[in-house]
Amino acid sequence: MQEAIFLMHDSLFKHIEIRTSEKLTDYEKEIISDAFAKKRMRKRQFFLQEGDVCKHLGFIVKGSSRMFSVDEKGHEHIIHFGLESWWLTDPESSIQLIPSRYFIEMLEDSELLVISLPDVYELRNKSRGFDLTFRALDKFSTIAMHKRIHAAIGMTAEERFSDLSSTYPEFLKRFPMNMIASYLGLSPETLSRVRKNAIRK
Amino acid sequence: MQEAIFLMHDSLFKHIEIRTSEKLTDYEKEIISDAFAKKRMRKRQFFLQEGDVCKHLGFIVKGSSRMFSVDEKGHEHIIHFGLESWWLTDPESSIQLIPSRYFIEMLEDSELLVISLPDVYELRNKSRGFDLTFRALDKFSTIAMHKRIHAAIGMTAEERFSDLSSTYPEFLKRFPMNMIASYLGLSPETLSRVRKNAIRK
DNA sequence: CGGAATCTTGAAAGTGTTCAAATCAAGTGG
DNA sequence: CCACTTGATTTGAACACTTTCAAGATTCCG
């Protein structure tokens, strides 16, 4: 089992080294390994539930997730998906330490690396590579969210779907269409019709 | 005029000290002052134009702005507004050094403090307060964009407007309704009708 | 005082949702 | 391996919401 543990952390090391274009030192690898705990989660398990304060950060080694809210009518709205090398957190809850309005649910049996938020703060001060990774992630997610806002307020249903197809083709392979619809802010019926029209072209 | 310059930088110092809950040292104030240039811009001037690479970061001392894109049909979509103490940048363009898809236009005669991106990077390494401010800003904007996405994909026109009214009441005082409509992803006509209905309640 | 935006209103057209039902696919227990 | 249940997807029809286009009212500003 030791080997499996090593492999899991290795996927995180690789992620950091790619994001920062720098090699991690042995010391950095050691303190990072120590701070992250591995956690297996099964399909439909919740990493975070509405009302809880988000006190941990998760890194997806294997598997997938969705982050969604439930409105008064009981309708779900998917804010984010997660795949390998993506991070799990509710920034609003974890930064302000308030109860979350969201659920984060695993969509497949998954392997995660989990770290507490105080430990994130400490690691950022101890490891330059770790700190740079989080700066880069903030930038990356800012760009992604900008695009998402632009799509949501300025595009038609077809445009949003075709945009998604080219930006995240993986989503279409891994997630059911009703969830894709929710992510795009459409009803499943509308997405079904949009796709039928798109095929004709 | 010296006094006016001092006042402008002072507004930036105050912003940083509030965001970080720490006092800036005299040394930090000095290097920050040196790195930022003051710039007056008149209403309708562009801080950034589509096609240009965003190489500067602006801090609004006084005035207001909007960031918007123009689609193929010539329709404008407002992604962001800016007010006093807000920052001006296109993250996508400035991080990836690619031509921007957006315009950033001043909506009132404004006073800005402007810094080049390499200087931002350098200052973050030299001044802890400056670095912490940008970390905090990243978090703050992440939360705001999350909410925006949630509103755009999950709320009706009325809900979005009432959400805006409570979150950014200042917007309604400072910006014309056709721009508010664009920010919400609505036509001006629809917003006008939404407001009429909202008043009755 | 114009002239140019801005805001409102009405009617027609377009887009997306809801509801209901049928089809299809996957997983479960016998 | 089959029957059954559950979830996912598609289709149709009626409905609701939003846009578009056109016109009138209001406000702002030189």
Side-chain angles (χ1 to χ4, degrees):
Chain A
M1 265 337 259
Q2 275 303 104
E3 196 177 34
I5 294 171
F6 179 73
L7 284 174
M8 284 181 72
H9 285 104
D10 218 45
S11 129
L12 174 58
F13 298 152
K14 200 151 82 182
H15 170 72
I16 293 175
E17 291 178 343
I18 288 173
R19 277 255 167 272
T20 60
S21 313
E22 288 179 24
K23 284 281 172 192
L24 285 169
T25 64
D26 286 345
Y27 170 69
E28 284 179 313
K29 287 190 182 181
E30 197 185 311
I31 59 175
I32 290 171
S33 290
D34 288 348
F36 282 89
K38 72 185 174 105
K39 178 169 189 174
R40 289 186 184 280
M41 295 192 76
R42 304 195 55 193
K43 186 174 177 173
R44 302 222 181 99
Q45 264 193 288
F46 290 98
F47 179 80
L48 176 71
Q49 298 195 54
E50 188 185 25
D52 291 350
V53 174
C54 181
K55 294 181 175 170
H56 296 273
L57 183 65
F59 175 81
I60 304 180
V61 174
K62 189 164 183 323
S64 61
S65 68
R66 64 173 179 148
M67 176 172 178
F68 65 99
S69 68
V70 179
D71 67 24
E72 325 75 52
K73 290 166 209 136
H75 293 169
E76 298 176 357
H77 303 283
I78 296 181
I79 310 289
H80 269 315
F81 285 117
L83 290 171
E84 284 79 9
S85 296
W86 291 48
W87 295 85
L88 299 181
T89 181
D90 172 7
E92 187 179 353
S93 169
S94 71
I95 294 167
Q96 308 182 333
L97 293 177
I98 56 176
S100 178
R101 300 188 278 168
Y102 303 101
F103 295 87
I104 297 178
E105 179 194 29
M106 306 318 296
L107 297 177
E108 303 169 326
D109 292 347
S110 303
E111 296 170 7
L112 307 181
L113 289 171
V114 177
I115 183 174
S116 76
L117 290 172
D119 286 351
V120 171
Y121 185 81
E122 206 182 316
L123 261 195
R124 285 188 73 159
N125 286 329
K126 283 187 188 166
S127 160
R128 172 184 156 79
F130 196 75
D131 186 52
L132 288 179
T133 301
F134 278 82
R135 289 198 200 182
L137 279 173
D138 283 339
K139 291 178 181 175
F140 181 79
S141 83
T142 299
I143 293 173
M145 286 191 286
H146 249 250
K147 287 183 182 168
R148 188 98 190 278
I149 291 169
H150 183 249
I153 69 173
M155 292 184 182
T156 64
E158 279 116 40
E159 289 167 337
R160 295 214 288 280
F161 177 69
S162 106
D163 185 51
L164 174 78
S165 304
S166 53
T167 309
Y168 301 111
E170 190 72 9
F171 285 5
L172 302 183
K173 293 178 204 150
R174 302 272 292 264
F175 306 127
M177 284 303 149
N178 57 356
M179 292 191 186
I180 300 285
S182 170
Y183 180 86
L184 293 173
L186 299 173
S187 68
E189 294 91 337
T190 298
L191 179 59
S192 171
R193 285 182 258 258
V194 162
R195 290 173 65 218
K196 200 165 78 170
N197 291 337
I199 288 168
R200 283 197 326 223
K201 294 171 188 173
Chain B
M1 269 330 260
Q2 276 304 104
E3 196 178 32
I5 294 172
F6 180 73
L7 285 175
M8 283 180 73
H9 285 105
D10 218 45
S11 127
L12 173 57
F13 298 153
K14 200 151 84 181
H15 170 72
I16 293 174
E17 290 178 341
I18 288 172
R19 278 254 168 273
T20 60
S21 314
E22 288 179 22
K23 284 282 175 193
L24 285 169
T25 65
D26 287 343
Y27 170 69
E28 284 179 313
K29 288 190 181 180
E30 198 184 312
I31 58 175
I32 291 172
S33 290
D34 288 347
F36 280 89
K38 74 185 172 103
K39 178 169 189 172
R40 288 187 185 280
M41 295 192 74
R42 302 193 55 193
K43 186 175 177 173
R44 302 222 181 96
Q45 265 192 289
F46 289 97
F47 178 80
L48 176 71
Q49 297 195 55
E50 187 186 25
D52 291 350
V53 174
C54 181
K55 294 179 176 171
H56 297 271
L57 184 65
F59 175 80
I60 304 180
V61 174
K62 190 168 185 316
S64 61
S65 67
R66 64 173 178 148
M67 176 172 178
F68 66 99
S69 67
V70 179
D71 66 23
E72 325 76 51
K73 291 164 206 137
H75 294 168
E76 298 176 357
H77 303 284
I78 297 181
I79 309 289
H80 270 315
F81 285 117
L83 290 170
E84 284 79 9
S85 296
W86 292 46
W87 295 84
L88 300 181
T89 181
D90 172 8
E92 187 180 354
S93 169
S94 71
I95 294 168
Q96 305 181 304
L97 295 176
I98 57 176
S100 178
R101 300 188 279 170
Y102 303 101
F103 295 89
I104 298 178
E105 179 194 29
M106 306 318 296
L107 296 177
E108 303 169 325
D109 292 346
S110 303
E111 297 170 6
L112 307 181
L113 289 171
V114 178
I115 183 173
S116 75
L117 291 173
D119 285 352
V120 171
Y121 186 81
E122 205 182 317
L123 261 194
R124 284 187 72 157
N125 287 327
K126 283 189 188 164
S127 161
R128 173 185 156 78
F130 196 76
D131 187 53
L132 288 179
T133 301
F134 278 82
R135 287 197 201 184
L137 279 172
D138 283 339
K139 289 178 183 175
F140 181 79
S141 82
T142 299
I143 293 173
M145 286 192 285
H146 248 251
K147 286 184 182 166
R148 188 99 190 279
I149 291 170
H150 183 248
I153 68 172
M155 292 184 180
T156 65
E158 279 117 41
E159 289 167 337
R160 295 213 290 281
F161 177 69
S162 106
D163 185 49
L164 174 79
S165 306
S166 53
T167 309
Y168 303 110
E170 191 73 8
F171 286 4
L172 302 182
K173 293 178 203 148
R174 302 274 287 268
F175 306 125
M177 283 303 150
N178 57 359
M179 291 191 187
I180 301 285
S182 170
Y183 180 87
L184 293 174
L186 299 173
S187 69
E189 294 93 336
T190 298
L191 178 58
S192 171
R193 286 182 257 259
V194 163
R195 290 172 64 217
K196 201 165 81 169
N197 290 336
I199 288 167
R200 284 195 327 222
K201 292 171 187 172

